[in-house]
C-alpha cells in the first residue's frame, strides 16, 4: 500500500486550466477504474469531486473532469477560479476492500 | 440531510485503547460501505479502513492492521473503530465517510467533521 504520487503543488491564473496527475502502479490505479479525487479547503472535511476515474457527483461543477490512462489518473480544472484554491487528493482502490491516497497537491490560484 | 457525527476521540497514552463511533442519519446506512480516513496535523489524508454494507468485507491499511478493528451496527446506524496499542503516529483527525456503493470503492461522498485522537504520554 504505497501512497500514490502527486505533484506537491501546481498553480494557475484565473480562467486557465490546470491538470493534477496521480501516478500509481499496475496493482492499484492500473488495475481498477476506482479512482476518486477530493478537494479540501483548510480546516474543512474533504469533498468528493470525481469518482470512478471520470464521473462527477451531482452538484460538482463541470469545470472539474477526470481521466485515467494506464497507471496514471488525472484531474483537470478548467476556467480556474479563486475558490478552487485548495488541496487536492487522489485515492485508488487497491483490492481486498482497501484503498490508498496520494500525498496531496496544493493548488494556488495566482 | 445526510449527517455523520464522530465521537470518542481524546488524549490517550501510547499502548492504550480508544473506540471511535460514527452516528449517521439522512440515508439508509445498511445500503452503503463505510470508511475511516485520518489526517495527521499538517499532513495529507490517509485511508485507514473500510467495511462493506453488511460487514462481510473489511480492509485495513498496513499501518493499522492487527491493531485497529472496524465494525458496524446497521440497526443502530453506527460505525465503529476500535483502536488498540495506540502509537504516537496514530495522532490524527479521524473522519468517518460514506461510500457511494455497497462495497468499498473509495468513492466517499459524505464525510463527518472528524474526531481528534492524540496519543501522548
Amino acid at each position: 500500500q504505497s501512497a500514490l504520487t502527486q505533484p506537491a503543488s501546481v498553480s494557475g491564473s484565473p480562467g486557465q486550466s490546470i491538470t493534477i496527475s496521480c501516478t500509481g502502479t499496475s496493482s492499484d490505479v492500473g488495475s481498477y477504474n476506482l479512482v476518486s479525487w477530493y478537494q479540501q479547503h483548510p480546516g474543512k472535511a474533504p469533498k468528493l469531486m470525481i469518482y470512478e476515474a471520470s464521473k462527477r457527483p451531482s452538484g460538482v461543477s463541470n469545470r472539474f473532469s477526470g481521466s485515467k490512462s494506464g497507471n496514471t489518473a488525472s484531474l483537470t480544472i478548467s476556467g480556474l477560479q479563486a475558490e478552487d484554491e485548495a488541496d487536492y487528493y487522489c485515492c485508488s482502490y487497491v483490492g481486498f476492500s482497501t484503498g490508498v491516497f496520494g500525498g496531496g497537491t496544493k493548488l494556488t490560484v495566482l | 440531510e445526510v449527517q455523520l457525527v464522530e465521537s470518542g476521540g481524546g488524549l490517550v497514552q501510547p499502548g492504550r485503547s480508544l473506540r471511535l463511533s460514527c452516528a449517521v442519519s439522512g440515508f439508509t446506512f445498511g445500503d452503503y460501505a463505510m470508511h475511516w480516513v485520518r489526517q495527521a496535523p499538517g499532513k495529507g489524508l490517509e485511508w485507514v479502513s473500510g467495511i462493506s454494507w453488511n460487514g462481510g468485507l473489511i480492509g485495513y491499511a498496513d499501518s493499522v492492521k492487527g491493531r485497529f478493528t472496524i465494525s458496524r451496527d446497521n440497526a443502530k446506524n453506527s460505525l465503529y473503530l476500535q483502536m488498540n496499542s495506540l502509537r504516537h503516529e496514530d495522532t490524527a483527525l479521524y473522519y468517518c465517510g460514506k461510500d457511494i456503493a455497497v462495497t468499498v470503492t473509495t468513492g466517499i461522498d459524505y464525510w463527518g467533521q472528524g474526531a481528534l485522537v492524540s496519543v501522548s504520554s
Side-chain angles (χ1 to χ4, degrees):
Chain A
Q1 293 174 356
S2 299
L4 307 175
T5 300
Q6 298 181 232
S9 62
V10 298
S11 61
S13 300
Q16 288 186 331
S17 294
I18 63 95
T19 296
I20 300 172
S21 61
C22 170
T23 302
T25 69
S26 58
S27 298
D28 40 59
V29 176
S31 287
Y32 306 96
N33 235 27
L34 298 177
V35 177
S36 50
W37 288 91
Y38 299 89
Q39 176 192 66
Q40 187 180 36
H41 287 108
K44 301 293 187 180
K47 176 185 178 183
L48 179 65
M49 306 304 285
I50 296 290
Y51 67 99
E52 293 178 10
S54 61
K55 297 180 179 179
R56 207 170 35 245
S58 61
V60 172
S61 171
N62 58 10
R63 297 186 298 105
F64 291 83
S65 62
S67 63
K68 195 193 86 165
S69 178
N71 297 338
T72 299
S74 299
L75 173 71
T76 297
I77 308 174
S78 59
L80 211 55
Q81 299 179 0
E83 59 260 37
D84 298 333
E85 186 163 294
D87 293 326
Y88 290 84
Y89 296 90
C90 61
C91 184
S92 177
Y93 182 73
V94 298
F96 299 102
S97 297
T98 62
V100 65
F101 277 94
T105 299
K106 181 177 181 58
L107 169 62
T108 301
V109 180
L110 302 171
Chain B
E1 180 191 7
V2 172
Q3 286 194 318
L4 295 83
V5 180
E6 301 92 340
S7 61
L11 176 63
V12 62
Q13 293 179 326
R16 303 297 292 266
S17 299
L18 208 59
R19 189 196 198 205
L20 300 182
S21 299
C22 174
V24 313
S25 60
F27 66 97
T28 304
F29 181 65
D31 283 353
Y32 297 94
M34 297 292 294
H35 300 262
W36 288 100
V37 174
R38 69 185 180 184
Q39 188 167 34
K43 302 296 184 182
L45 299 174
E46 180 184 12
W47 184 87
V48 173
S49 183
I51 185 169
S52 63
W53 67 281
N54 64 351
L57 296 171
I58 287 174
Y60 297 99
D62 289 343
S63 58
V64 307
K65 198 174 297 182
R67 300 187 299 121
F68 289 12
T69 301
I70 191 173
S71 62
R72 65 189 297 160
D73 186 334
N74 289 349
K76 295 183 177 180
N77 289 343
S78 293
L79 176 72
Y80 307 101
L81 185 68
Q82 177 67 43
M83 304 183 293
N84 299 332
S85 303
L86 282 161
R87 305 168 179 169
H88 288 110
E89 54 265 36
D90 295 319
T91 293
L93 186 64
Y94 284 74
Y95 292 104
C96 162
K98 169 191 167 293
D99 201 294
I100 59 173
V102 295
T103 56
V104 169
T105 69
T106 71
I108 303 171
D109 58 352
Y110 288 96
W111 298 68
Q113 286 306 304
L116 186 61
V117 173
S118 295
V119 184
S120 175
S121 51

